[in-house]
């Protein structure tokens, strides 16, 4: 059994949120920092990655094979694959043993039900922790949802459910922020969405039709629930911007404890800089994001 401490990012998020692109960009960024990186593909439907895979679940089971053999749809097949991996977790342990002292990136499936109410992913993540993997989940959410109040409320709810279900430190990131300009108007400044401010303002932006009026009480209750927990906030992600990549690496390093290690010359100065030198959202940072990614005319 693995006894050394390993650090890992578990990259989750809906399909199309940029998980594989993130893995490719962050792995290259980390290698330039001097870290040995192992990328683990846990998505049995992802057989055409943009990065070099070191450990691949497709060697064990694939969605295509399950669909053909058991006549399941893609979502049911993905759930079956993760349950199959859970039952054959020794296969994953054996594969990971070849990469001791590496920094791990786990590219996970996109089916949201795996993180909200299915137990297989949580069991796999718990087993990694038992094997001394210090894990932090990185939840990618397409920044496009900021332009659509109903969808933004829904991703807030699923993000909160995922945090409570998998019980790990989690960094939420609005991905593809560099495409924000082309995706429509924002009702509020970007910090409204990153800090998840008063959601009653979003309720006023819901479409005024019979469908949404019929569910107005439920929508308000969902917003109240999200605000009461007050656990979900976002950073922004542009994989082409090294400053944005460095920011999210710092956040993850604090969350999974990597910054407190002894390798890579992580001395006390670096620890204190990581803890307090980049304490999160300040006005200068928000102004920089607005200036770089969001023009004033995009605000309605």
């Amino acid at each position: 059994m693995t006894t050394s401490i390993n650090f890992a990012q578990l990259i989750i998020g809906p399909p199309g949120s940029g998980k594989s692109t993130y893995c490719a960009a962050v792995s290259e960024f980390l290698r330039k920092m001097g870290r040995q990186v192992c990328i683990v593909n846990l998505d049995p439907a992802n057989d055409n990655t943009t990065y070099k895979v070191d450990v691949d679940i497709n060697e064990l089971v694939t969605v295509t094979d399950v669909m053909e053999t058991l006549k399941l749809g893609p979502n049911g097949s993905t759930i079956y694959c993760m349950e199959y991996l859970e039952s054959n977790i020794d296969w994953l342990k054996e594969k990971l043993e070849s990469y001791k002292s590496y920094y791990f990136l786990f590219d996970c499936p996109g089916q949201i039900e795996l993180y909200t109410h299915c137990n297989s992913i949580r069991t796999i993540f718990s087993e990694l922790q038992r094997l001394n993997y210090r894990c932090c989940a990185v939840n990618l959410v397409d920044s496009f949802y900021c332009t659509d109040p109903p969808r933004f409320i829904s991703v807030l709810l699923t993000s909160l459910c995922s945090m409570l279900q998998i019980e790990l430190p989690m960094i939420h990131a609005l991905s593809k922020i560099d495409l924000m300009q082309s995706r429509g108007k924002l009702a509020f400044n970007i910090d409204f969405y990153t800090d998840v401010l008063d959601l009653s303002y979003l309720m006023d932006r819901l479409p005024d039709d019979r469908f949404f009026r019929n569910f107005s009480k439920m929508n308000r209750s969902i917003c109240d629930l999200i605000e009461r927990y007050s656990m979900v906030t976002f950073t922004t992600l542009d994989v082409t911007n090294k400053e944005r990549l460095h920011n999210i690496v710092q956040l993850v390093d604090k969350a999974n404890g990597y910054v407190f290690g002894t390798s890579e010359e992580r001395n006390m100065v670096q620890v204190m800089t990581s803890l307090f030198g980049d304490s999160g959202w300040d006005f200068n940072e928000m102004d920089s994001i607005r200036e770089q990614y969001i023009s004033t005319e995009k605000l309605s």
Side-chain angles (χ1 to χ4, degrees), residues 7 49 112 117 160 162 168 195 217 252-253 255 263 275:
F7 296 91
T49 60
I112 193 62
H117 57 275
L160 175 61
S162 298
L168 283 172
D195 293 344
K217 289 184 179 180
V252 172
D253 283 351
S263 62
L275 286 175

Side-chain angles (χ1 to χ4, degrees), residues 153 203 206 212 215-224:
I153 292 172
M203 289 292 301
L206 295 179
F212 281 96
F215 293 97
S216 61
K217 289 184 179 180
M218 183 188 72
N219 290 331
R220 194 168 299 279
S221 296
I222 290 173
C223 290
D224 290 343

Side-chain angles (χ1 to χ4, degrees), residues 202-270:
L202 278 186
M203 289 292 301
D204 297 334
R205 297 278 178 164
L206 295 179
D208 186 21
D209 58 35
R210 187 173 66 178
F211 177 83
F212 281 96
R213 285 196 297 270
N214 287 341
F215 293 97
S216 61
K217 289 184 179 180
M218 183 188 72
N219 290 331
R220 194 168 299 279
S221 296
I222 290 173
C223 290
D224 290 343
L225 176 69
I226 294 167
E227 290 183 329
R228 284 203 305 271
Y229 272 92
S230 190
M231 293 172 65
V232 180
T233 58
F234 293 93
T235 186
T236 57
L237 176 63
D238 171 8
V239 296
T240 66
N241 186 305
K242 289 183 172 57
E243 183 180 352
R244 293 285 90 217
L245 285 176
H246 183 253
N247 175 70
I248 200 166
V249 167
Q250 279 193 312
L251 292 173
V252 172
D253 283 351
K254 285 185 283 187
N256 66 12
Y258 182 89
V259 70
F260 300 105
T262 56
S263 62
E264 203 186 79
E265 298 181 350
R266 284 167 272 165
N267 55 34
M268 184 57 66
V269 174
Q270 289 174 306

Side-chain angles (χ1 to χ4, degrees), residues 96 98 138 144 152 155 179 189 239 255-256 268 290 300:
L96 297 179
S98 301
V138 178
F144 166 75
F152 186 69
V155 298
L179 302 179
N189 284 327
V239 296
N256 66 12
M268 184 57 66
R290 292 191 197 103
S300 59

Side-chain angles (χ1 to χ4, degrees), residues 3 15 44 60 92 108 113 121 142 147 173 199 209 219 225 228 241 270 272 285 287:
T3 56
L60 176 70
L92 181 60
C108 299
E113 58 267 32
I121 279 284
D142 195 324
T147 65
L199 295 181
D209 58 35
N219 290 331
L225 176 69
R228 284 203 305 271
N241 186 305
Q270 289 174 306
M272 299 303 289
E285 182 177 10
D287 287 342

Side-chain angles (χ1 to χ4, degrees), residues 15-26:
S17 57
K19 297 185 295 295
S20 294
T21 304
Y22 173 87
C23 285
V26 169

Side-chain angles (χ1 to χ4, degrees), residues 117-128:
H117 57 275
C118 294
N119 291 325
S120 53
I121 279 284
R122 181 174 64 179
T123 302
I124 293 167
F125 290 172
S126 296
E127 184 64 18
L128 289 174

